[in-house]
């Protein structure tokens, strides 16, 4: 597969040209944070960033997505009958995505694209996406990708990987999609041994920097009902505000709600991200609620990620170690500590 | 790409008010595109999402039996937004059905066995489907004795009263209708709670499978009765409810432990439920 080195200026120029073939998304500085945005209206990418505050999951799984539309006008022959809402599945490229966030797409793929049902929106958005990763030379203090099957330079799930060599980027194609992307980018030179060598060193040094230990090895063998009954849930949940920040920012949280919205004589069926942190999530019409207590909802979030998912798919936890929930929880609830508790229980 | 969220368009063919309080109605639907009826091939115990444009979707157990052709039926209790709107709709109105969804009662395992059916209140819907299905001449020989205990608060709250009366008359099944109480002096059937009538009428767990559907309190008190009779947890079948949206195991809403009630259920054995967190 092709590997090329672009000066940083060349790469920005190449992305500009790639906009003819792709809808190009990249991290853009937005106030104090970075957000993945389409490179339109003069928006400039900024790859010198720790990670985006909002995960890029919304590029494949928008926080609000129209599923169907319908007419409520009795004089229409198809009144009350749902029709597919038009969608844009033209090629898009997400450039500069961190390896943990690419890993997260692979984690949620098991849910949206399973042997029995394929979620047509997720699958088609994902298939139309080319993921161009960016290796993490300097992981954050909250990162723990290496503890959950990832790596700051992991190529898992990526179509191409960018590595910041200082003045230039080494860009390696990893799949046919990545090859097509890289071949459409003008400029750059074939990667030389010095560049490849330097990339190896950066990867090794990044791995070294992640010191935290979050063992998950014993989760699989625990009995789910024992962990569920463990005595620490009320204490873990004590300070939680049920604000939902953790699930909203998380690249591996996938729960959604479906709602109808009408305006005049027409309407849409829409799906919106939802959160197991909210009591309404499980409230029955009868008033019964299996998770009406805060600690039950907090337990659900951690049990889902660290036990139910592990049991269901037998291939690791439902967490990519991106650290967003750790960083942005207003009361410092830390999944790494909860995971240690569960693993040791 | 096939879209599992897209409902089949249907027309309301008939509406029957089932109970005295008018809170339960049975809706019969016909498919607007006849080929959709075949695609909607279902097995008793499954459910579907009833979809009303502008209001939303609700999961409802299928009350008709696949042996009844030309329509599908659901019995709906008026509770909140969607169910109330449905109760106000008329024959001829257009809406949608998405499904069939979920698993079904273990029909293969029930073959050659005595079948005990215990229902309470309006959770009798998929049990009606099951009874009609088993009594069909093609299917009846597959099962040994069929015993049904069905109870409601009072005679006016029983569903499917005409059919219950017919089942009472049959000699190829044992039907025990009961009410919690009644001031009707002509009441011909039992008076008493479902667990007590079960204890009274079911005499043996030999070669038998019991299916129980009803309000949580009824299930809680029926379970020990069945265990005392000798039903092992593997042969006690329950159907669960959870709040749902997608109905296909994707939206993450209806889990109990690692099981999604919409896809892995709603039918579980008591043995399976004992392995799961008691969060339902
Ligand atoms: C497998 C299954 C089978 C069911 N079978 C029947 C039946 O045969 N007859 C019947 O009357 N009822 C049945 N129910 C319950 C029925 O789904 C709820 O009463 C109904 O969803 C309430 O909707 P609503 O819009 O009127 O209430 P609201 O309280 O306004 O609910 C808003 C939304 O929440 C969700 N919701 C609320 N309560 C429930 C619930 N208990 N279960 C699932 N989703 C819920 C629905 O998406 C609903 O549209 C069944 C539920 C399940 C899970
Ligand atoms: S971000 Fe923190 S406080 Fe908010 S719901 Fe999550 S755990 Fe609770
Ligand atoms: S649980 Fe926290 S650390 Fe794990 S993927 Fe989600 S936001 Fe990132
Ligand atoms: S209703 Fe969506 S997962 Fe069960």
């Amino acid at each position: 597969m092709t590997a090329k080195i672009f000066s940083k200026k060349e790469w920005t120029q190449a992305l500009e040209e790639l906009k003819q073939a792709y809808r190009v998304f990249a991290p853009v500085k937005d106030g104090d944070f970075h957000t993945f945005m389409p490179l339109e209206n003069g928006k400039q990418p900024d790859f010198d960033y720790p990670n985006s505050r909002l995960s890029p999951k919304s590029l494949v799984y928008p926080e609000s997505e129209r599923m169907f539309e319908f007419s409520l006008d009795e004089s229409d022959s198809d009144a009350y009958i749902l029709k597919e809402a038009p969608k844009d599945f033209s090629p898009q490229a997400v450039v500069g995505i961190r390896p943990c966030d690419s890993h997260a797409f692979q984690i949620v793929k098991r849910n949206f694209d399973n042997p029995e049902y394929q979620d047509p929106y997720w699958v088609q958005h994902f298939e139309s996406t080319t993921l161009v990763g960016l290796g993490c030379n300097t992981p954050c203090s909250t990162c723990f990708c290496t503890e959950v099957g990832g790596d700051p330079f992991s190529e898992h799930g990526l179509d191409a990987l960018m590595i910041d060599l200082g003045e230039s980027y080494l860009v390696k194609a990893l799949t046919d999609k990545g090859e097509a992307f890289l071949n459409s980018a003008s400029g750059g030179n074939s990667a030389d041994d010095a560049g490849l060598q330097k990339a190896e060193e950066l990867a090794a040094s990044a791995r070294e920097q992640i010191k935290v230990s979050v063992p998950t090895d014993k989760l699989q063998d625990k009995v789910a009902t024992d962990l569920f009954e463990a005595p620490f849930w009320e204490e873990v949940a004590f300070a939680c505000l049920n604000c939902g920040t953790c699930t909203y920012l998380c690249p591996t949280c996938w729960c959604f709600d479906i709602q109808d919205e009408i305006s005049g004589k027409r309407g849409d069926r829409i799906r919106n991200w939802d959160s197991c942190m909210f009591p309404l999530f499980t409230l029955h019409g009868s008033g019964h609620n299996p998770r009406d207590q805060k600690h039950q909802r907090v337990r659900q979030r951690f049990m889902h990620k660290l036990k139910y998912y592990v049991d269901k798919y037998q291939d690791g936890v439902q967490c990519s170690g991106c650290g967003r929930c750790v960083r942005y929880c207003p009361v410092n609830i830390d999944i790494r500590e909860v995971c240690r508790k569960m693993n040791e229980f | 790409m096939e879209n599992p969220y897209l409902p089949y368009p249907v027309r309301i063919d008939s509406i029957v008010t089932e109970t005295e309080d008018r809170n339960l109605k049975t809706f019969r639907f016909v498919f607007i595109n006849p080929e959709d009826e075949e695609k909607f091939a279902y097995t008793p115990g499954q459910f579907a999402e009833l979809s009303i444009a502008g209001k939303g979707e609700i999961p409802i157990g299928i009350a008709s039996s696949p042996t009844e052709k030309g329509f599908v039926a659901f019995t709906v209790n008026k509770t909140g937004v969607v169910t109330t709107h449905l109760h106000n709709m008329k024959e001829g109105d257009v809406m949608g059905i998405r499904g069939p969804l979920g698993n079904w009662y273990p029909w293969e395992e029930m073959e050659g066995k005595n079948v005990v059916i215990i229902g309470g209140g309006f959770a009798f819907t998929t049990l009606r489907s099951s009874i009609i299905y088993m009594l069909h001449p093609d299917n009846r020989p597959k099962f040994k004795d069929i015993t049904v205990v069905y109870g409601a608060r009072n005679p006016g709250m029983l569903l499917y009263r005409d059919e219950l009366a017919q089942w009472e008359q049959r000699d190829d099944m044992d039907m025990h209708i009961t009410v919690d109480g009644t001031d009707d002096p002509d009441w011909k059937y039992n008076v008493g709670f479902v667990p007590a009538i079960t204890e009274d009428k079911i005499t043996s767990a030999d070669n038998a499978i019991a299916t129980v559907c009803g309000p949580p309190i009824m299930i809680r008190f029926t379970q020990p009765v069945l265990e005392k009779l000798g039903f092992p947890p593997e042969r006690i079948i329950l159907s669960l409810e959870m709040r749902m949206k997608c109905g296909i195991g994707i939206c993450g809403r209806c889990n109990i432990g690692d099981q999604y009630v919409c896809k892995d259920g709603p039918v579980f054995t008591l043995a399976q439920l004992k392995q799961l967190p008691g969060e339902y």
Side-chain angles (χ1 to χ4, degrees):
Chain A
M1 292 254 164
T2 307
K4 280 182 164 183
I5 293 180
F6 295 81
S7 76
K8 289 192 170 174
K9 203 166 147 216
E10 269 181 319
W11 183 241
T12 314
Q13 187 55 41
L15 292 182
E16 198 53 40
E17 288 160 21
L18 281 160
K19 279 158 55 180
Q20 310 212 334
Y22 297 85
R23 291 174 289 134
V24 178
F25 294 81
V28 172
K29 192 154 168 49
D30 181 21
D32 289 340
F33 302 99
H34 284 79
T35 309
F36 278 85
M37 291 188 191
L39 296 183
E40 285 166 356
N41 308 321
K43 291 237 159 52
Q44 288 301 313
D46 178 8
F47 295 115
D48 195 9
Y49 83 124
N51 201 353
S52 58
R53 180 169 53 159
L54 288 168
S55 87
K57 75 173 169 187
S58 60
L59 300 179
V60 167
Y61 172 43
E63 45 270 66
S64 188
E65 174 155 36
R66 232 148 59 88
M67 309 170 78
F68 303 107
E69 52 188 21
F70 46 82
S71 160
L72 300 173
D73 186 343
E74 301 265 353
S75 63
D76 282 344
S77 60
D78 55 3
Y80 305 111
I81 296 180
L82 271 60
K83 307 275 173 214
E84 300 255 13
K87 301 255 164 207
D88 185 357
F89 294 124
S90 63
Q92 62 175 5
V94 182
V95 182
I97 181 176
R98 294 297 185 185
C100 56
D101 289 339
S102 161
H103 181 199
F105 280 126
Q106 296 299 315
I107 289 173
V108 305
K109 188 171 194 286
R110 298 199 173 94
N111 179 61
F112 286 111
D113 187 6
N114 65 62
E116 285 151 285
Y117 292 103
Q118 287 76 51
D119 182 277
Y121 314 114
W122 192 95
V123 168
Q124 288 174 94
H125 283 306
F126 189 72
E127 283 173 354
S128 64
T129 304
T130 300
L131 295 175
V132 181
L134 172 60
C136 303
N137 293 357
T138 323
C140 310
S141 60
T142 45
C143 291
F144 58 105
C145 58
T146 48
E147 296 301 286
V148 289
D151 183 272
F153 280 69
S154 169
E155 298 174 352
H156 184 49
L158 287 170
D159 298 303
L161 179 66
M162 292 160 61
I163 295 160
D164 185 342
L165 302 176
E167 302 303 315
S168 57
Y169 294 113
L170 165 65
V171 188
K172 295 199 280 182
L174 303 167
T175 64
D176 291 345
K177 265 189 193 173
E179 187 76 22
F181 183 83
L182 194 50
N183 286 336
S184 331
S186 61
N189 299 306
S190 281
D192 55 358
D193 287 346
L196 293 169
Q197 174 69 27
K198 181 154 187 209
E200 288 297 325
E201 287 162 22
L202 287 167
S205 141
R207 245 163 252 145
E208 276 295 294
Q209 292 172 49
I210 301 179
K211 295 264 189 274
V212 62
S213 158
V214 190
T216 59
D217 55 315
K218 297 190 204 140
L219 293 170
Q220 173 106 50
D221 294 333
K222 308 268 170 208
V223 177
T225 44
D226 289 350
L227 272 179
F228 183 87
E229 302 290 352
F232 48 70
W233 293 115
E234 297 216 24
E235 180 202 320
V236 166
F238 180 73
C240 176
L241 314 168
N242 273 172
C243 65
T245 301
C246 48
T247 56
Y248 194 76
L249 299 183
C250 176
T252 63
C253 274
W254 63 60
C255 293
F256 62 82
D257 189 19
I258 301 175
Q259 291 286 339
D260 285 11
E261 277 180 19
I262 51 179
S263 91
K265 290 255 172 214
R266 65 167 305 285
D268 299 303
R269 181 157 293 169
I270 296 174
R271 76 158 166 212
N272 301 307
W273 291 354
D274 204 346
S275 171
C276 59
M277 287 291 130
F278 304 148
L280 260 181
F281 193 70
T282 46
L283 178 66
H284 292 206
S286 63
H288 171 65
N289 190 347
R291 285 186 218 128
D292 62 348
Q293 308 276 318
K294 175 172 77 178
H295 77 272
Q296 297 170 324
R297 300 192 286 275
V298 171
R299 171 172 61 192
Q300 161 65 18
R301 172 170 163 248
F302 290 117
M303 284 292 281
H304 187 204
K305 289 191 173 296
L306 303 174
K307 182 58 184 163
Y308 304 150
Y309 184 93
V310 173
D311 287 351
K312 199 172 187 91
Y313 299 106
Q314 313 268 329
D315 192 19
V317 295
Q318 185 200 344
C319 168
S320 64
C322 76
R324 286 186 180 85
C325 61
V326 179
R327 192 170 266 255
Y328 297 107
C329 172
V331 298
N332 300 320
I333 292 176
D334 188 334
I335 189 170
R336 299 170 301 181
E337 277 167 36
V338 178
C339 186
R340 282 183 210 118
K341 276 193 166 71
M342 289 172 70
N343 200 60
E344 285 317 309
F345 180 65
Chain B
M1 197 173 180
E2 201 177 321
N3 190 330
Y5 303 107
L6 183 65
Y8 300 121
V10 293
R11 184 169 283 116
I12 302 179
D13 187 45
S14 75
I15 304 175
V16 173
T17 302
E18 294 281 354
T19 51
E20 255 168 32
D21 68 357
R22 308 182 64 78
N23 255 330
L24 280 137
K25 289 185 179 176
T26 296
F27 298 83
R28 271 192 185 194
F29 299 100
V30 293
F31 291 91
I32 289 178
N33 307 316
E35 65 276 15
D36 290 345
E37 186 178 343
E38 250 168 76
K39 292 192 220 150
F40 191 86
Y42 62 95
T43 307
Q46 289 192 284
F47 70 98
E49 289 280 347
L50 304 189
S51 161
I52 301 177
K55 295 292 166 189
E57 290 188 319
I58 47 169
I60 302 288
I62 306 173
S64 52
S65 155
T67 53
E68 299 174 296
K69 300 291 177 203
F71 66 91
V72 275
F74 300 83
T75 302
V76 179
N77 184 33
K78 191 161 89 179
T79 340
V81 178
V82 181
T83 51
T84 303
H85 187 86
L86 183 58
H87 268 246
N88 292 331
M89 287 174 72
K90 319 178 292 299
E91 289 170 3
D93 284 351
V94 171
M95 49 180 278
I97 296 183
R98 187 157 70 79
L101 302 169
N103 67 353
W104 44 85
Y105 296 122
W107 293 109
E108 282 189 8
E109 239 179 280
M110 275 147 68
E111 280 190 20
K113 294 212 170 65
N114 298 316
V115 178
V116 173
I117 286 190
I118 301 166
F122 65 84
F124 195 58
T125 58
T126 57
L127 297 180
R128 177 207 177 262
S129 169
S130 303
I131 294 167
I132 300 277
Y133 173 79
M134 286 189 291
L135 292 180
H136 190 273
D138 289 350
N139 296 329
R140 184 63 192 87
K142 296 181 195 160
F143 307 97
K144 299 200 127 148
D145 296 348
I146 299 175
T147 312
V148 179
V149 177
Y150 171 47
R153 254 178 293 146
N154 56 56
M157 289 303 290
L158 288 163
L159 299 179
Y160 320 124
R161 269 170 280 173
D162 293 347
E163 283 171 336
L164 294 179
Q166 288 167 22
W167 294 339
E168 265 288 338
Q169 304 301 317
R170 291 181 75 119
D171 53 14
D172 59 351
M173 71 180 285
D174 243 339
M175 181 76 216
H176 305 287
I177 306 169
T178 185
V179 291
D180 298 352
T182 178
D183 41 23
D184 175 2
D186 298 329
W187 177 247
K188 297 192 290 240
Y189 310 112
N190 304 286
V191 177
F193 294 121
V194 167
I197 303 297
T198 304
E199 189 156 20
D200 212 31
K201 305 288 181 186
I202 313 288
T203 46
S204 156
D206 274 356
N207 194 29
I209 289 196
T211 301
V212 188
C213 289
I217 179 116
M218 184 205 96
I219 293 181
R220 186 150 6 109
F221 287 105
T222 305
Q223 210 172 290
V225 171
L226 291 174
E227 282 172 321
K228 209 168 96 190
L229 278 165
F231 282 90
E234 293 74 27
R235 286 197 271 125
I236 299 177
I237 314 294
L238 301 161
S239 183
L240 298 190
E241 272 189 29
M242 285 294 257
R243 187 179 174 120
M244 292 182 181
K245 285 290 168 174
C246 71
I248 56 175
I250 290 184
C251 78
R253 184 169 307 268
C254 69
N255 75 297
I256 301 175
D258 67 353
Q259 302 284 297
Y260 286 115
V261 173
C262 66
K263 191 171 98 175
D264 306 312
V267 176
F268 294 93
T269 66
L270 183 58
Q272 287 172 316
L273 290 179
K274 287 187 171 183
Q275 306 285 314
L276 296 173
E279 201 174 39
Y280 46 90

